[in-house]
Amino acid sequence: MDAIRVRGGRRLEGIIPISGAKNAALPILCATLLSDGESLLRNVPALRDIDTTSALLRFLGRKVDASPPLVRVFAGSDVRPEAPYELVKQMRASIMVLGPLLARFGRAKVSLPGGCQIGSRPVDQHLKGLEALGATISVQRGYIVAECKRLRGNEVVFDIPTVTGTENLMMAAALAKGRTTLVNCAREPEVEELGRVLNKMGAIVDGAGTDVIHIEGRDELAPFDHAIVADRIEAGTYMVAVAAAGGDVLLENAPLEYLEAVVAKLRQAGVEIGREGSSVRVRRGEKPLRAIDITTAPHPGFPTDMQAQMMVLMCVAQGTARIAETIFENRFMHVPELRRMGAMIDVDGHTAHVHGGVPLTGAKVMATDLRASASLVIAGLVTAENEETDVLRVYHLDRGYEHMETKLANVGADTTRIKGEAG
Ligand code: EPZ
C-alpha cells in the first residue's frame, strides 16, 4: 500500500486546479442506467471511486470507457440487475444503482452496504422511499431484493436529510408513473447537479437543491452529455491547506458559491479568501489564526466532509476550538493520529476541544477515511521544516482526491508518494 511522505515548513504559492466533484459524478454515473444509448460525462475526476463505479456498471452489463476527465457509458437494453458484495463493500455509494435498476428493469438485487469507519451508515430511508413508490423489498442473506413492475409516483417524507437517499429516490421517480414529491430532502449541490442531469434526460425535476423536490416520471429517458460541477470539498480542503501552511494560492474553478459556510468560518479565523473570475484566491500571512467553534450540519450548514481538515487548522490557531460532529457517529478517527503528532485534543462524545498553538511534529500516521487522510497530509504540511510525516494506507485518499501529492508539490509543498509502504 502506498504512503504519502510530507515534510513541513513550506509556504504554498501558485495555482491548484480543482477537479470535478466525486459526489456529483457517482450518482450521475448511476443515472446512466436509466436510459439506452451513449451518455458522456465530462470533467470526471480520476479517482478510485470512479473506477469502482465503472467496474460496477460493467458488472451490470454496461460498456464503460473511463478515461477521466471523459467517461462514456454505452447502454444496451440487457442488464444483470445485481450489485455484488465484492463491489459494494468497496464503496457504499454503490447503493445508488438500486433506484435506477428498479425503475428501469423492475427488479434489483444489491448488497447491503456495510458500515464503514465513520459510522453504521444505514439505508433505511432509501428502502422506505422505494416502498412508498410501490416496490416490494426484502433483505435476504445480506442482499436487498427489490421488485416492482412499474413504480408509481407518491409522496415520500424523509425522516432525516440523506444525500444518496434523496438521489436514489430522484432517479427512481424519474421513470415512475406520475408525479413524486420528496420532502425533507438533502440540499447538497450534488443533489442539485443530479436534478440538472435528469432534466437533460427528459425527466421534469423541480426543486433539486431545496428540501422539497417534485419529479414528473416519464416512460423513458434519453442519454446525456454533461460536464460535472467542480468539487467543493476538494476546494475547501485546499483552502484549509493554504490557511494552515501559510501562503497565497489561486484555486482554479473553485465553486465558491457552494462553500459559504466553510468560507465564513475561514474568514472568521483570519484567512483571506476572494473571488478572481472563476477562481478563488486564498491567502494567509504571518498573523496567527483565531480559534473558532464549528458544528457540522446538512448543507447549507458546515459540511461534515470538512470537519477533519478544520480540526488540523485549529491545531495551529490561537486558543481552544470546539468542534461538534452531528452527522456521523464516529468521525473523529483522525484525532488519535493527530495526537501522535503532538496535537492537544480532548474528545467528549461527539464534541472535540482542540487546544491550538501547540507545534505538530512528524510521525507515521494511518489514514482511516478519505477526509481524515486529507487532514493528516495537511498536518504534515504544518510541521517544522526538518519534520517528516508518512501518511499510510493512502488508498483512502485516492478514493476522493485526484493526485493530491502532485497538486500540493506544484505549489511548493514537499510531498511525495512512497510506493508500497507497509501500513
Ligand atoms: C453522502 O453520504 C456523501 N457521499 C458523504 O461523503 C457525506 O459525508 C454525506 O453525504 C453527508 O454529507 C456521497 O455523496 C457519495 P447521508 P451519504 O445519507 O448519502 C443517516 C465523502 O467523504 N442515514 O446524507 O451516505 C446516516 O447514518 C463521503 O465523500 C440514515 O440513518 O450520507 C448519517 O448519519 C463520506 N438512514 C446521516 O443520515 C439512511 O437511510 C446522513 O447520511 C441514510 C442515511
Side-chain angles (χ1 to χ4, degrees):
M1 284 182 259
D2 294 356
I4 287 188
R5 179 159 293 163
V6 188
R7 291 190 184 85
R10 306 276 191 93
R11 281 173 61 78
L12 307 182
E13 314 267 355
I15 296 175
I16 295 181
I18 300 303
S19 304
K22 166 179 91 79
N23 289 348
L26 299 181
I28 292 170
L29 279 167
C30 296
T32 63
L33 292 165
L34 291 166
S35 79
D36 283 351
E38 176 188 312
S39 288
L40 178 58
L41 290 78
R42 303 171 194 273
N43 198 32
V44 178
L47 302 172
R48 278 183 71 236
D49 276 6
I50 299 296
D51 297 341
T52 303
T53 308
S54 301
L56 177 55
L57 289 175
R58 292 188 189 104
F59 185 90
L60 295 171
R62 288 326 201 218
K63 187 174 175 307
V64 182
D65 175 4
S67 315
L70 286 184
V71 175
R72 286 175 195 282
V73 181
F74 303 81
S77 55
D78 59 324
V79 78
R80 171 174 48 181
E82 279 201 32
Y85 175 69
E86 292 66 31
L87 284 169
V88 175
K89 74 178 166 72
Q90 292 178 43
M91 185 189 67
R92 301 188 60 271
S94 306
I95 187 72
M96 285 191 287
V97 301
L98 179 62
L101 288 174
L102 187 57
R104 179 87 195 294
F105 302 101
R107 66 193 200 289
K109 184 180 175 190
V110 176
S111 169
L112 261 179
C116 67
Q117 295 281 6
I118 63 178
S120 60
R121 313 287 295 276
V123 290
D124 57 297
Q125 299 296 309
H126 299 239
L127 305 186
K128 183 189 104 168
L130 292 171
E131 284 175 332
L133 300 190
T136 305
I137 294 182
S138 62
V139 176
Q140 302 164 16
R141 296 184 181 76
Y143 276 79
I144 301 162
V145 179
E147 289 181 356
C148 183
K149 197 159 169 36
R150 174 77 191 270
L151 294 173
R152 302 183 70 79
N154 198 353
E155 177 171 276
V156 175
V157 182
F158 291 108
D159 297 338
I160 49 167
T162 154
V163 176
T164 51
T166 301
E167 293 164 343
N168 229 339
L169 267 292
M170 287 167 72
M171 291 188 276
L175 275 181
K177 186 167 182 55
R179 181 183 176 84
T180 294
T181 300
L182 304 179
V183 181
N184 196 19
C185 298
R187 297 159 59 185
E188 272 68 3
E190 293 76 28
V191 174
E192 196 175 348
E193 179 77 343
L194 177 63
R196 282 188 279 270
V197 169
L198 292 174
N199 281 329
K200 277 188 178 178
M201 297 179 78
I204 301 174
V205 178
D206 181 33
T210 74
D211 60 344
V212 178
I213 303 175
H214 299 286
I215 300 125
E216 281 301 333
R218 310 310 293 269
D219 293 339
E220 75 177 50
L221 296 170
F224 59 87
D225 178 335
H226 188 75
I228 307 286
V229 69
D231 193 317
R232 62 190 168 101
I233 302 299
E234 184 196 26
T237 301
Y238 287 119
M239 284 181 185
V240 170
V242 176
D248 180 345
V249 170
L250 190 71
L251 302 180
E252 240 172 20
N253 296 326
L256 191 63
E257 65 278 16
Y258 295 146
L259 280 163
E260 282 174 352
V262 173
V263 170
K265 287 293 181 183
L266 288 173
R267 283 173 174 156
Q268 194 186 335
V271 185
E272 292 173 53
I273 299 173
R275 183 188 290 280
E276 285 189 16
S278 65
S279 299
V280 175
R281 182 169 295 282
V282 187
R283 278 197 194 94
R284 207 269 274 176
E286 299 309 320
K287 206 162 48 114
L289 294 170
R290 287 185 295 277
I292 47 166
D293 293 346
I294 287 159
T295 299
T296 64
H299 191 79
F302 190 91
T304 174
D305 291 350
M306 284 296 303
Q307 178 256 109
Q309 300 90 313
M310 286 301 280
M311 189 175 285
V312 177
L313 188 66
M314 291 301 103
C315 289
V316 296
Q318 296 297 322
T320 294
R322 180 182 176 282
I323 299 182
E325 170 57 58
T326 70
I327 305 292
F328 291 112
E329 62 264 36
N330 186 31
R331 206 169 195 180
F332 284 153
M333 302 288 283
H334 41 289
V335 171
E337 300 304 306
L338 292 172
R339 282 183 182 139
R340 300 188 59 246
M341 299 176 72
M344 301 287 282
I345 304 170
D346 302 323
V347 173
D348 172 13
H350 291 189
T351 301
H353 292 93
V354 184
H355 308 291
V358 176
L360 298 185
T361 52
K364 281 188 187 298
V365 288
M366 188 86 73
T368 50
D369 77 81
L370 70 157
R371 308 305 174 185
S373 48
S375 75
L376 296 175
V377 173
I378 296 171
L381 295 175
V382 305
T383 60
E385 187 152 12
N386 58 345
E387 295 286 339
E388 185 173 276
T389 300
D390 281 356
V391 180
L392 308 177
R393 296 192 179 176
V394 86
Y395 59 86
H396 288 290
L397 196 75
D398 294 336
R399 288 191 53 190
Y401 290 95
E402 192 177 43
H403 314 313
M404 176 178 260
E405 74 277 11
T406 308
K407 290 190 178 184
L408 286 171
N410 288 346
V411 291
D414 184 344
T415 47
T416 47
R417 183 173 287 254
I418 312 292
K419 284 287 180 197
E421 173 93 353

